[in-house]
Amino acid sequence: MLDLTYEAPTPKVIAGATSDWELVIGLEVHAQVATKAKLFSGASTQFGAEPNSNVAFVDAGMPGMLPVINEGCVAQAVKTGLGLNAQINLVSAFDRKNYFYPDLPQGYQISQLYHPIVGEGEVLVEMGNGQARKVRIERIHLEQDAGKSIHDMDPHMSFVDLNRTGVALMEIVSRPDIRGPEEAAAYVLKLRQILRYLGTCDGNMQNGNLRADVNVSVCRPGDYEKYQATQDFSHLGTRCEIKNMNSMRFIQMAIDYEARRQIALIEDGKEVVQETRLYDPDKNETRSMRSKEEAHDYRYFPDPDLLPLEIEQAWVDDIKAALPELPDQKKARFIKDFGLSDYDASVLTAEVVNAEYFEKVAEGRDGKLAANWVINELFGRLKKEDHSIEDSPVSAAQLGELIGLIKAGDISGKIAKDVFEICYTTGRNPAEIVETEGMKQVTDTGAIEAAVDEIIAANPAQVEKAQANPKLVGWFVGQVMKATGGKANPAAVNQIVSAKLGI
Ligand code: ADP
Ligand code: MG
């Protein structure tokens, strides 16, 4: 079983001039809901479409248009909540967050400030060293995405693309339970993995379908424990929020930079100002976007066009009953049922398609051997050509067949690699390849004995040496393997050689 301690791993500590400093991080992750249509319109959410081709009148803020909630988006948010062990709120409500921007034609974003659809939950983040931390989820709310402004420099022109306007987002807000850059990345990765297992967000960070606002503060050793004991934020330092991060690497670099900037300020006798900052990867620094004083007054109020959202417990129960097996459960099952190491189980369950492929290969066979072949041979080979498992030329059934041949002693592991390569490039089945190409391992002792006799007779000097130094038996085994084109069963060869040499 997984040996997970819920003890907090040591937080990242940065030594300052006057004190050690610890990092405190809370993330607001915006995950685009995987659905065909937008949150309040029937327009398509397809990525990369012709600009302004996926826009309904309501998305364009046309007067007199009314939003109509997309039940599919609500179901996805509920599913996500259940996957994060969270409380599902049977009554939630939509609010308007008012601001002006060219890519927001309504003049407001519909969000859920006061009554989110999902309440408290948790994500278990493993740090790859047997340690894990439970990161608490504060809430998940549904909201609309904004459009995209595109600025051209030559000539100076700005464009607005409303395809994204009104697409459903889930904002997943964590408590400030994350204690370092690596942990922040591990948290986003785990969240992404769970969402992908659930099928509620495709997790494509490059396309901006998963992005994070990263809140960072620093405190002196001991202060975080005081916060945890009381949940009183005054024990923590002032935070800055780094907006819109969509790369794991940049998230880590931005946190590190930001923490050091704050420490330098405090140690210089200055104060950290609560503000929104942007990370510039070219310069590896964060820069102020707007301070708290300049913060927008969004004039939140309940959206009068939308009734409170009421869902039924029975509907939630149905969604719960249909939840897929999630990464932690699958990993634990792989370790238990197939005898895999923690590491192999993690690799194989990182993506659900990989896990499903592996399971087909391993079913009823040697699980460890199957894991080795999938991870080392197949993944290695696929990576070479930038293939993914979905377009693997070797099917799970074929790889399973190959492993069956190894296990039955029909081929050695070495020959199996050749069979694999033929199967990969031609699509032929392993058993047929072995048969047709005469690659079957020779276990017939008569044939092996004949080969051994020949080599012994031809190399009297080596025989003498080997009899004085039994380690040299390996040389004879190598010669026999060569003579049989690698097809002799190495264990049998070893035994026969030793016997014939009288060792
Ligand atoms: P706001 O309403 O201004 O967005 P929230 O209280 O909702 O503020 O917090 C937003 C995010 O900031 C949450 O993820 C929370 O965990 C995180 N956060 C709050 N205080 C701190 C802090 N002192 N240091 C780091 N992160 C924090
Ligand atoms: Mg916020």
Side-chain angles (χ1 to χ4, degrees), residues 36 108 116 130 187-188 285 292 375 427-428 501:
K36 291 208 167 71
Y108 55 85
Y187 166 78
V188 175
E285 62 180 31
K292 200 184 177 187
I375 295 172
R428 287 163 60 193
L501 293 177

Side-chain angles (χ1 to χ4, degrees), residues 145-163:
D145 203 350
K148 206 166 104 185
S149 299
I150 302 147
H151 305 290
D152 255 7
M153 285 310 178
D154 186 25
H156 268 280
M157 290 225 267
S158 287
F159 302 88
V160 172
D161 179 4
L162 297 182
N163 281 352

Side-chain angles (χ1 to χ4, degrees), residues 28 171 173 213 215 239 241 243:
E28 297 159 278
E171 178 168 333
V173 183
D213 297 343
N215 296 271
R239 74 179 192 271
E241 179 178 12
K243 276 269 176 213

Side-chain angles (χ1 to χ4, degrees), residues 406-424:
I406 302 170
K407 207 56 195 174
D410 285 345
I411 50 173
S412 65
K414 196 161 166 292
I415 291 286
K417 291 188 186 185
D418 298 336
V419 178
F420 174 80
E421 186 58 28
I422 298 172
C423 176
Y424 191 97

